């Protein structure tokens, strides 16, 4: 993992004392969150050269994926049953996010958080994982699909616009990139051909940072989202 001001690159792994780490997100104060694979897949917060290890929900592993300007962190942690659960870490407290099914064996994955405290990710529904958002109070809302069985929310901006990808009803069409706003999921289309956006999802640029690399989807006016060609840049985390 590294950080840079555009001139100097800092090796966060040196501070962590490991050679295997990933920085997943950064806020406007320069606070960085990521994963230290050399510490048994543990999450870290990096601020001005100082590393803070994040707690878990009772299990051995945790994966931090997003941070907002308040310093609230979201991601995935294993619970006491070693099931992957979405979490929010704020003011020194780690809390598990609600899942759709309510079952003890259900899983969820928090991927991003905006400055209003809205969290997006996935949660296991009746059969498959679907894109969800958690309000600042913790209430969970499924975002739907394009008729298929699953979907994933990748990022959310401060206007509440959510982007990700969702299955089509026809399995041969694969997945399509979407933007969700005010209860409506809109298909962003593709750059030609008959398939969807591709499993790698979409790249989302908020201010000056990116979230994902993907193929085939196109930008939409008025939404701070753009796509770039390339493969998935981050390893798959549990709770998908």
């Amino acid at each position: 993992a590294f950080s840079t001001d555009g001139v100097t690159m800092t090796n966060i792994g040196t501070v962590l004392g490991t050679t295997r780490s990933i920085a997943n997100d950064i806020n406007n104060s320069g606070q960085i969150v990521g994963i230290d694979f050399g510490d048994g897949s543990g999450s870290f917060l990096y601020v001005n050269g100082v590393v803070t290890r994040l707690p878990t929900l009772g299990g051995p592993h945790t994966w931090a994926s997003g941070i907002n300007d308040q310093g609230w962190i979201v991601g995935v942690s294993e619970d006491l049953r070693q099931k992957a659960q979405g979490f929010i870490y704020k003011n020194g407290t780690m809390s598990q996010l609600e899942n759709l099914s309510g079952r003890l064996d259900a899983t969820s994955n928090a991927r991003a958080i905006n400055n209003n405290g809205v969290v997006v990710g996935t949660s296991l529904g009746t059969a498959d994982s679907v894109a969800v958002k958690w309000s600042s109070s913790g209430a969970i809302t499924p975002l739907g699909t394009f008729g298929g069985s699953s979907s994933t929310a990748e990022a959310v901006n401060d206007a509440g616009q959510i982007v990700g990808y969702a299955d089509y009803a026809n399995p041969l069409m694969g997945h399509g990139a979407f933007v969700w706003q005010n209860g409506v999921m809109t298909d962003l289309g593709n750059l030609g051909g008959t398939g969807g956006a591709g499993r790698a999802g979409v790249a989302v640029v908020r201010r000056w940072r990116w979230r994902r690399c993907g193929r085939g989807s196109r930008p939409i006016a008025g939404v701070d989202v753009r796509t770039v060609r390339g493969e998935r840049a981050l390893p798959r985390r549990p709770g998908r």
Side-chain angles (χ1 to χ4, degrees):
F2 70 87
S3 67
T4 180
D5 57 7
V7 178
T8 303
M9 180 177 289
T10 300
N11 186 346
I12 298 175
T14 300
V15 181
L16 291 169
T18 181
T19 59
R20 299 174 59 216
S21 58
I22 292 177
N24 280 342
D25 203 6
I26 184 172
N27 65 14
N28 280 335
S29 298
Q31 297 174 310
I32 298 169
V33 294
I35 307 167
D36 176 10
F37 293 102
D39 188 36
S41 293
S43 293
F44 66 84
L45 170 66
Y46 177 87
V47 183
N48 297 325
V50 177
V51 168
T52 300
R53 306 283 182 173
L54 300 187
T56 74
L57 292 172
H61 304 124
T62 183
W63 299 263
S65 58
I67 185 171
N68 67 8
D69 287 344
Q70 284 74 44
W72 299 356
I73 301 168
V74 297
V76 184
S77 175
E78 290 176 335
D79 60 18
L80 290 171
R81 299 177 304 279
Q82 296 191 24
K83 297 292 184 180
Q85 305 291 347
F87 74 80
I88 183 168
Y89 179 81
K90 60 181 180 179
N91 304 322
T93 300
M94 172 85 77
S95 301
Q96 181 176 327
L97 295 168
E98 181 184 359
N99 63 64
L100 283 177
S101 70
R103 302 198 320 255
L104 292 178
D105 62 345
T107 60
S108 60
N109 185 346
R111 292 182 172 275
I113 182 171
N114 69 11
N115 290 323
N116 299 314
V118 174
V119 180
V120 299
T122 62
S123 178
L124 181 66
T126 57
D128 210 338
S129 292
V130 296
V132 296
K133 74 165 184 172
W134 290 272
S135 69
S136 57
S137 65
I140 188 171
T141 301
L143 305 186
T145 71
F146 292 136
S149 61
S150 67
S151 56
T152 297
E154 295 281 2
V156 58
N157 65 13
D158 290 342
Q161 297 165 318
I162 301 168
V163 293
Y165 57 95
D167 287 352
Y168 292 108
N170 182 351
L172 297 179
M173 294 183 63
H175 322 275
F178 71 78
V179 58
W180 186 98
Q181 185 175 17
N182 299 325
V184 178
M185 178 180 282
T186 301
D187 191 341
L188 296 183
N190 56 62
L191 296 178
T194 58
R199 185 169 181 79
V202 295
V204 181
V205 177
R206 295 176 299 175
R207 291 179 284 272
W208 54 274
R209 63 186 186 268
W210 57 269
R211 294 294 308 170
R212 281 286 187 268
C213 291
R215 299 180 188 174
S217 51
R218 66 188 178 200
I220 182 171
V223 181
D224 60 340
V225 51
R226 73 184 183 196
T227 62
V228 293
R229 292 187 177 278
E231 299 299 331
R232 178 181 293 276
L234 300 179
R236 187 178 306 185
R237 295 186 294 273
R240 292 293 302 268

